[in-house]
């Protein structure tokens, strides 16, 4: 079975480009984002290349994130790569000192 990549913020920009690039490398993609229609577009675009599991939530909502991850089907739970692209904690602190809340 192919490896799994979870990409947050996969509905646009770097997150979307990363999901597409990883799909082309053979990864199955868990794509997360706030915009349902864009997740559906990505899923359709990658049809035939890989399997995409879209998850609709906002990473700022900690409970929604935890629920989505806890609800993953068994065949999607062994995540090999996490690209945590979503969110906006620019300039608050260096990554090693950063707060999960940010």
């Amino acid at each position: 079975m192919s490896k799994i990549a979870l990409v947050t913020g996969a509905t646009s920009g770097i997150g979307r480009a990363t999901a597409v690039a990883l799909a082309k490398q053979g990864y199955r993609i868990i794509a997360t984002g706030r915009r349902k229609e864009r997740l559906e577009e990505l899923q359709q675009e990658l049809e035939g290349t890989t399997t995409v599991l879209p998850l609709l939530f906002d990473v700022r909502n900690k409970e929604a994130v935890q629920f989505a991850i806890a609800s993953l089907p068994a065949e999607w739970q062994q995540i090999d790569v996490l690209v945590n692209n979503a969110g906006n904690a620019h300039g608050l602190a260096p990554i090693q000192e950063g707060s999960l809340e940010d």
Side-chain angles (χ1 to χ4, degrees):
M1 182 155 297
S2 54
K3 292 184 177 185
I4 297 171
L6 189 157
V7 182
T8 67
T11 57
S12 65
I14 293 170
R16 188 177 198 292
T18 300
V20 170
L22 288 169
K24 289 178 181 177
Q25 293 297 315
Y27 284 85
R28 293 185 294 151
I29 305 296
I30 301 171
T32 80
R34 296 176 294 149
R35 294 175 279 197
K36 182 179 180 183
E37 67 283 349
R38 290 204 180 175
L39 286 171
E40 291 169 349
E41 288 170 8
L42 178 63
Q43 186 176 27
Q44 289 173 358
E45 178 183 335
L46 295 177
E47 191 175 315
T49 302
T50 193
T51 306
V52 176
L53 177 65
L55 296 179
L56 182 65
F57 63 84
D58 187 331
V59 296
R60 295 174 294 182
N61 183 333
K62 190 175 181 180
E63 291 78 25
V65 172
Q66 291 171 339
F67 179 80
I69 300 305
S71 300
L72 286 172
E75 64 272 18
W76 288 91
Q77 292 178 1
Q78 291 299 117
I79 298 166
D80 298 288
V81 174
L82 168 64
V83 180
N84 197 13
N85 173 70
N88 232 355
H90 305 250
L92 296 179
I95 190 70
Q96 70 273 16
E97 298 169 8
S99 164
L100 287 177
E101 297 303 317
D102 293 338

